[in-house]
Amino acid sequence: MFRELLARPTDGFFVVDAQGCFIEADDTLGQLLGCSPDALIGRPTTDFVHPASRAALCQPINCISTSERRNYRLELLHQDGSVIPALVNTITTRNAADGTISGAAGFITDLRDSRDKPPHAGYVTSDIEATRHHHSQLQLAATVFSESRDAILITDSQRRVISVNRAFTALTGYSADEVVGTEAPLIAASHHAPGFLDQLLDELARTDHWNGEAWSRRRNGAIFPQWLSVSTVRDDQAGILHYVAMFSDLSERKAAEERADFLARHDLLTRLPNRFLLRDRAEQAFAHAVRAETRVALLLLDLDHFKQINDSLGHPAGDALLQTFADRLRSTTRDTDTVSRQGGDEFLVLLTDIRDSDDIAPIVEKIMHTLARPCLLAGQEMSVSCSVGLAVHPEDGTDFDTLIRNADAAMYNAKEAGRNTFRFYSQQMNEDAVQRLDIQNRLRRALERNEFVLHYQPLIDLGDSRIVGAEALIRWNCPDLGMQPPGVFIPVAEDSGLIVEIGEWVLREACRQARAWQDVGHRDLVLAVNLSPLQFARGNLVETVRQALADSDANPALLELEITENVLVKDTEQVLATVRQLHAMGLRLAIDDFGTGYSSLAYLRRFAVEKLKIDQSFVRDLPTDPDAGAIVRAVIQMAKSLKIAVLAEGVETADIAHDLRLLGCDYAQGYYFGRPMPADAFAERLPPPR
Ligand code: C2E
Ligand code: MG
Ligand code: MG
């Protein structure tokens, strides 16, 4: 106490008991209060304190047990009635014997300006200066608070807002009146991952500080990004007094960042992704393709003779052309594909989710076709072609760089081949694609030029080896390629949809032939015609059949339609309705290649099938493979019990024919009895009409 006392000779010193009555007072204090120190002894301190400050005075005594040291301001009451602002500094005193509180000792500092003070020996002005300095510090803090361009929000320990500054109102639209007393809306929790706020509070509790980016909501509901920094303010006993949150609006910076990001990842002229973004997307696509077991094709497109256009029509025309190309590329590809510009007149396209590599060439054809459409350039209409190189993941490489390199090599080949064409990196894919495209183009003309013919293969009754009918099998007599079997062109025709028209032709031609044979007396000859699943799905099958029968006046009971199992397995209402109508017209239904598909018994009944044709793979293996034998036997027995006729396909030897007879098979077809042959050759095989 005395050390403190000596260190502060200008402050009034006092000691009070536990009831707050003076038991010691020095001269300085006496002078301050306007009476002798002795006169103070025994009197309650409250007598010398302005009524407005009494609560503050009592507090330290009441709270003595929780706080050993207090600093507080109060207004002293001079004996002459004047009011003196003062700073009080107390220390709790305790009984040495049992540690119970005996009272308090302290100093009182006069806060009046030195000019207002009575002269006093030894009064050191620097102390007053220190207090003033403290005051101006407070004032400075208050100014910083109100003038700050960052929004500041101060809460109590319960996170209820005590005060906000002007910037807060400007930024959020909330006035102080609206938020003071409410729980602080620090962040827009709905725009954060669940648990974000908890993590924030958790870190705040551990370190007394948090800062980072967060989303907040303005008064008008708009969400904006903010840079938020929250601190905890604690008292001497480490209890939480306040939270102070400061934040600034990041919207503009974000927008600038996004723009910078866009520029870094896109081409300025066309606004297409650039190579960096493409690489990103490509790597994602590769990872997905590995999981889904699909392919990804990388196309490198290079405009043909772009330099000439640039040189002759000028750069603005060149730029316009590149933009047109970009738009067209975007419009011909799916949203999941990525179109990108590599700079110059080179574009890269990433085609994803490709199941079959045969699907790639038609897509590339379509893209090239769209790009080659005429466009208006510097007032002239012109059409610009491009050359395309293709590399396919995973065949031609499994990483972006390898694929680009290979697509580039393929593109070079396309240029070498005279431009306006595409080339795969893989030789095999090139050949396949070229062949398919060649066939597709030729097929379109084949119908008009009447290049298709039907050959007929005898259907034999195994009981007496008589010819009971014929299966019509299509052939394409191509002037350049020679006679083509259906395996070469039917899949291409199915891909392009051309099979529907070709199928109509087959039906018309088969009916015409059936009628011709009927006319010369072969009245019971069955004619089997193959149908493609696509004719069920797309063509107006019932109408086509009706028309073909009406035009030829052939007997519907002698027309047998061969369909594969997968048509029926789809089992849609549409298929069922079609089958019913065909039945109603008197036609018969046979299941082709039985045993290679789902081989479900349920639909055989449901669709009232008349005949099963056991696939040649089982028949061929009959003599050597016991399993094949078992299957053929089972199919025959099952068909018998369902009262469905059975035909064995691909009978090549007398032995097999013999075995089938023993197994009770009704009919057979195969090279042993006769190959598919032209109509007149077939007619020669028929016995003379009765
Ligand atoms: P499919 O309907 O199963 O026709 C039987 C195929 O087996 C025919 O082949 C026939 O020549 C062949 N074949 C017959 N007997 C034997 C034999 O003993 N041994 C061997 N190894 N093969 C034999 P083709 O004419 O090449 O026809 C192949 C497939 O093309 C047909 O199989 C059929 O699915 C389809 N097809 C043929 N013509 C048409 C048609 O007009 N329209 C449709 N949509 N498809 C057709
Ligand atoms: Mg067939
Ligand atoms: Mg077959």
Side-chain angles (χ1 to χ4, degrees):
M1 250 187 250
F2 279 106
R3 260 201 303 277
E4 289 261 16
L5 183 63
L6 289 170
R8 295 164 168 247
T10 58
D11 291 342
F13 169 69
F14 66 91
V15 180
V16 295
D17 62 16
Q19 280 69 48
C21 295
F22 285 114
I23 46 178
E24 278 293 353
D26 69 356
D27 287 344
T28 315
L29 186 62
Q31 230 160 40
L32 197 60
L33 297 176
C35 55
S36 79
D38 289 346
L40 290 171
I41 305 303
R43 291 185 60 182
T45 45
T46 44
D47 285 2
F48 301 94
V49 173
H50 190 269
S53 293
R54 277 184 196 147
L57 173 72
C58 293
Q59 207 185 15
I61 306 286
N62 296 341
C63 301
I64 269 169
S65 54
T66 58
S67 172
E68 297 288 321
R69 230 172 229 280
R70 302 290 301 213
N71 292 309
Y72 53 101
R73 272 195 64 158
L74 45 64
E75 320 275 306
L76 294 177
L77 211 52
H78 194 269
Q79 283 301 90
D80 64 12
S82 61
V83 174
I84 304 160
L87 200 63
V88 181
N89 232 305
T90 61
I91 307 166
T92 305
T93 56
R94 293 178 183 272
N95 293 311
D98 57 5
T100 55
I101 291 164
S102 61
F107 307 92
I108 295 182
T109 311
D110 183 355
L111 286 183
R112 283 175 304 179
D113 196 314
S114 54
R115 276 162 309 184
D116 305 332
K117 279 183 192 157
H120 180 272
Y123 210 100
V124 183
T125 45
S126 68
D127 269 23
I128 295 179
E129 287 307 315
T131 310
R132 282 238 201 97
H133 177 69
H134 179 67
H135 264 255
S136 62
Q137 289 281 307
L138 283 177
Q139 209 128 41
L140 182 64
T143 312
V144 170
F145 175 76
S146 68
E147 299 304 314
S148 165
R149 296 195 44 193
D150 284 344
I152 304 176
L153 172 147
I154 302 174
T155 75
D156 62 14
S157 59
Q158 305 303 305
R159 306 215 325 262
R160 272 189 306 269
V161 180
I162 296 174
S163 170
V164 295
N165 68 352
R166 280 207 291 257
F168 176 90
T169 303
L171 196 70
T172 63
Y174 287 108
S175 69
D177 294 347
E178 285 174 299
V179 287
V180 169
T182 66
E183 184 168 332
L186 267 190
I187 60 161
S190 56
H191 277 62
H192 290 280
F196 178 83
L197 185 60
D198 291 339
Q199 277 171 23
L200 186 161
L201 295 175
D202 188 51
E203 187 174 332
L204 196 57
R206 276 186 293 109
T207 66
D208 281 355
H209 196 72
W210 185 91
N211 65 19
E213 282 183 23
W215 294 98
S216 190
R217 194 186 299 273
R218 299 190 214 271
R219 190 172 190 273
N220 63 10
I223 295 288
F224 67 100
Q226 60 175 0
W227 180 259
L228 175 65
S229 137
V230 195
S231 303
T232 310
V233 180
R234 296 180 184 271
D235 63 16
D236 296 345
Q237 272 63 50
I240 295 174
L241 288 177
H242 302 293
Y243 292 107
V244 178
M246 294 181 65
F247 55 95
S248 50
D249 193 344
L250 288 181
S251 314
E252 272 176 30
R253 208 174 86 198
K254 280 260 177 233
E257 269 173 19
E258 268 163 33
R259 202 178 136 63
D261 188 54
F262 182 87
L263 293 182
R265 295 160 73 80
H266 290 79
D267 163 52
L268 276 188
L269 177 66
T270 59
R271 306 191 75 75
L272 289 175
N274 64 15
R275 195 178 179 127
F276 296 110
L277 184 51
L278 181 77
R279 175 189 293 274
D280 241 37
R281 301 245 179 109
E283 276 157 11
Q284 283 173 27
F286 299 157
H288 175 78
V290 169
R291 271 179 271 125
E293 291 183 10
T294 53
R295 290 184 167 71
V296 179
L298 190 69
L299 278 66
L300 183 68
L301 284 98
D302 189 289
L303 271 66
D304 294 331
H305 308 297
F306 181 69
K307 191 172 162 351
Q308 280 171 27
I309 294 168
N310 239 348
D311 290 350
S312 59
L313 299 179
H315 285 271
D319 285 355
L321 177 65
L322 292 173
Q323 279 164 340
T324 307
F325 249 63
D327 292 342
R328 289 182 180 179
L329 271 174
R330 248 190 304 247
S331 68
T332 43
T333 48
R334 296 167 305 170
D335 287 348
T336 45
D337 299 333
T338 302
V339 178
S340 114
R341 180 173 169 231
Q342 298 306 290
D345 59 343
E346 273 188 9
F347 293 86
L348 273 172
V349 179
L350 194 71
L351 302 175
T352 54
D353 253 339
I354 293 168
R355 310 230 155 260
D356 187 345
S357 36
D358 285 343
D359 297 343
I360 301 172
I363 302 176
V364 179
E365 275 250 301
K366 193 182 82 185
I367 292 176
M368 290 181 67
H369 185 76
T370 310
L371 293 180
R373 282 201 323 251
C375 61
L376 211 58
L377 269 192
Q380 296 181 33
E381 194 179 71
M382 53 195 313
S383 117
V384 181
S385 63
C386 64
S387 304
V388 182
L390 275 148
V392 180
H393 178 283
E395 283 87 345
D396 302 336
T398 50
D399 65 283
F400 185 67
D401 293 320
T402 309
L403 284 165
I404 289 253
R405 214 174 35 245
N406 292 344
D408 198 64
M411 204 270 294
Y412 184 77
N413 287 340
K415 292 269 182 203
E416 285 282 280
R419 299 165 206 264
N420 190 18
T421 184
F422 69 87
R423 283 291 181 274
F424 279 97
Y425 178 70
S426 130
Q427 205 43 46
Q428 188 54 50
M429 281 198 200
N430 262 335
E431 283 163 17
D432 292 353
V434 168
Q435 203 201 358
R436 277 178 92 87
L437 283 173
D438 183 53
I439 288 173
Q440 198 174 31
N441 291 334
R442 288 172 192 275
L443 270 183
R444 283 186 224 283
R445 296 185 303 254
L447 265 177
E448 301 154 25
R449 298 185 185 178
N450 210 11
E451 290 171 1
F452 293 112
V453 284
L454 290 184
H455 280 190
Y456 298 90
Q457 185 175 33
L459 305 178
I460 307 295
D461 183 333
L462 276 175
D464 53 14
S465 300
R466 252 184 341 115
I467 295 178
V468 290
E471 176 173 1
L473 293 160
I474 193 170
R475 303 289 179 260
W476 175 23
N477 194 1
C478 176
D480 303 314
L481 308 172
M483 194 66 100
Q484 298 294 315
V488 170
F489 62 90
I490 295 272
V492 182
E494 285 185 329
D495 272 356
S496 61
L498 223 61
I499 191 68
V500 176
E501 270 179 80
I502 294 175
E504 286 172 10
W505 177 85
V506 171
L507 273 166
R508 277 199 309 275
E509 175 59 14
C511 287
R512 189 198 60 74
Q513 186 61 65
R515 169 73 206 208
W517 282 330
Q518 277 172 38
D519 284 350
V520 296
H522 302 293
R523 305 204 175 279
D524 304 322
L525 201 67
V526 168
L527 204 61
V529 173
N530 293 285
L531 293 182
S532 156
L534 222 67
Q535 288 176 271
F536 267 85
R538 271 203 229 160
N540 189 352
L541 186 60
V542 174
E543 199 39 49
T544 306
V545 171
R546 198 192 305 278
Q547 199 61 51
L549 287 169
D551 289 353
S552 60
D553 200 19
N555 180 2
L558 296 178
L559 192 59
E560 195 167 83
L561 299 179
E562 292 191 6
I563 55 179
T564 48
E565 294 168 86
N566 46 16
V567 172
L568 298 186
V569 165
K570 292 215 180 88
D571 195 8
T572 60
E573 283 309 307
Q574 191 212 343
V575 172
L576 192 62
T578 305
V579 168
R580 285 214 178 105
Q581 289 180 62
L582 293 172
H583 270 135
M585 286 158 60
L587 278 86
R588 296 199 284 181
L589 219 58
I591 303 292
D592 206 353
D593 305 339
F594 188 79
T596 58
Y598 293 89
S599 311
S600 147
L601 295 183
Y603 63 73
L604 294 180
R605 297 195 78 127
R606 188 160 153 80
F607 290 94
V609 170
E610 272 88 6
K611 190 189 272 180
L612 286 188
K613 298 184 77 173
I614 303 176
D615 189 68
Q616 41 176 291
S617 56
F618 304 108
V619 177
R620 197 188 316 121
D621 295 341
L622 203 53
T624 51
D625 181 356
D627 286 346
I631 290 171
V632 171
R633 189 176 303 116
V635 171
I636 292 173
Q637 277 166 8
M638 174 197 75
K640 289 241 175 291
S641 63
L642 290 171
K643 302 205 165 44
I644 298 174
V646 193
L647 178 145
E649 293 185 305
V651 179
E652 293 188 352
T653 64
D655 286 350
I656 295 178
H658 178 72
D659 287 353
L660 287 166
R661 264 189 207 104
L662 291 183
L663 289 171
C665 187
D666 306 307
Y667 304 103
Q669 166 183 12
Y671 293 171
Y672 172 65
F673 298 107
R675 292 186 173 248
M677 56 193 103
D680 40 3
F682 181 83
E684 280 174 22
R685 294 279 306 272
L686 293 173
R690 280 173 278 148

